Amino acid sequence: MASTAANLEDVPSIDLMSELLRRMKCSSKPDKRLILIGPPGSGKGTQSPVIKDEYCLCHLATGDMLRATVAAKTPLGIKAKEAMDKGELVSDDLVVSIIDEALKKPSCQKGFILDGFPRTVVQGQKLDEMLEKRGVKIDKVLNFVIDDSILEERITGRWIHPSSGRTYHSKFAPPRVPGIDDVTGEPLIQRKDDTAAVLKSRLEAFHRQTEPVIDYYSKKGVVTNIHAEKPPKEVTEEVHEAVSS
């Protein structure tokens, strides 16, 4: 506790006040526990920060959490590293324990957005069991629905300027000169994953894995389909409507 107090002394007053005001604003928000499901390119990454800020939730991306836990060498992280070093998958129980641990943080007090988990019905059941012990449950599963052909157009049209990270799209945000960065005049590249063949296999795996999960939560009456082919602002409106209901 003493070290925390010392650390706070070094935080600029304006930052402390901003955080205090944010927490006061958040205290009146309803608790929300959300799962986001959607294929690559469906816009989950665009909507997550909007939902997070609007409802004062923490964003739980299990891949990032796993890496952070391993790096921090926590007891759970050590167990996870042992499995990874053996070339094994980290067990569902361990991932759920890492989520359980994360929910103790003040930033998760009003709830969370889970992204990338659960991927299977068994994971969903284990997650629900853990939440039940806490006396809470999943409030809403947002299922970002979009036609595979639209995703192909979105993803295979992406071009990137490697050194700056600037992104273009051959149809929606083209560079002034095809294949050339507007600012530097340097050539643009496409990610190896941004091809029709790679996308097809990723989408097949996604549909195979997640359809049973969507069915599982549909039976609980918590799934809302989001029309993810719409422009981002319209999707945001639809998401707000779904989360508020």
Side-chain angles (χ1 to χ4, degrees):
M1 182 62 94
S3 67
T4 306
N7 292 341
L8 286 174
E9 285 173 5
D10 295 330
V11 177
S13 298
I14 190 145
D15 292 344
L16 282 174
M17 289 302 293
S18 296
E19 177 58 17
L20 190 60
L21 287 168
R22 188 190 71 80
R23 291 196 187 193
M24 286 169 70
K25 183 193 82 168
C26 289
S27 65
S28 63
K29 300 275 183 182
D31 292 6
K32 296 284 177 186
R33 285 157 288 270
L34 312 174
I35 293 172
L36 268 54
I37 294 177
S42 61
K44 285 186 299 145
T46 303
Q47 300 300 327
S48 283
V50 178
I51 307 166
K52 175 182 177 288
D53 292 344
E54 175 65 25
Y55 294 95
C56 303
L57 309 177
C58 62
H59 180 247
L60 304 177
T62 47
D64 295 343
M65 291 163 66
L66 201 51
R67 285 185 286 276
T69 306
V70 169
K73 296 180 179 175
T74 65
L76 290 172
I78 290 163
K79 280 186 188 175
K81 189 173 187 304
E82 283 171 5
M84 289 155 86
D85 287 347
K86 290 178 192 168
E88 297 171 358
L89 288 172
V90 177
S91 72
D92 294 342
D93 288 326
L94 196 52
V95 176
V96 169
S97 296
I98 290 168
I99 294 169
D100 190 22
E101 195 64 32
L103 295 182
K104 294 172 185 172
K105 293 178 185 174
S107 59
C108 295
Q109 191 179 351
K110 301 302 292 182
F112 57 81
I113 301 165
L114 253 178
D115 188 355
F117 191 92
R119 291 180 187 271
T120 67
V121 172
V122 171
Q123 288 176 349
Q125 290 167 337
K126 288 179 184 292
L127 174 68
D128 287 350
E129 285 165 18
M130 179 271 284
L131 293 174
E132 199 177 326
K133 286 175 188 167
R134 289 176 156 268
V136 295
K137 61 182 176 57
I138 294 296
D139 297 303
K140 193 75 71 174
V141 176
L142 301 179
N143 180 28
F144 285 68
V145 180
I146 185 167
D147 193 86
D148 287 359
S149 62
I150 297 172
L151 286 177
E152 186 174 330
E153 184 180 50
R154 277 187 186 180
I155 288 177
T156 58
R158 288 197 296 211
W159 288 84
I160 295 158
H161 179 241
S163 57
S164 70
R166 272 187 293 278
T167 58
Y168 299 87
H169 192 282
S170 53
K171 180 177 178 182
F172 306 117
R176 286 195 289 267
V177 179
I180 300 296
D181 178 47
D182 287 352
V183 180
T184 63
E186 293 168 354
L188 302 174
I189 63 159
Q190 277 197 301
R191 286 198 190 107
K192 287 177 187 172
D193 285 356
D194 288 354
T195 65
V198 171
L199 179 65
K200 186 171 184 287
S201 66
R202 286 176 76 191
L203 288 174
E204 281 172 2
F206 170 79
H207 293 309
R208 191 171 59 248
Q209 273 188 326
T210 55
E211 276 169 15
V213 178
I214 292 162
D215 288 345
Y216 169 73
Y217 282 108
S218 291
K219 286 170 186 165
K220 294 174 177 278
V222 294
V223 174
T224 297
N225 288 336
I226 302 296
H227 299 92
E229 79 285 351
K230 292 180 179 178
K233 281 187 179 175
E234 288 181 37
V235 175
T236 299
E237 287 169 17
E238 206 170 309
V239 164
H240 278 320
E241 201 174 307
V243 175
S244 303
S245 63

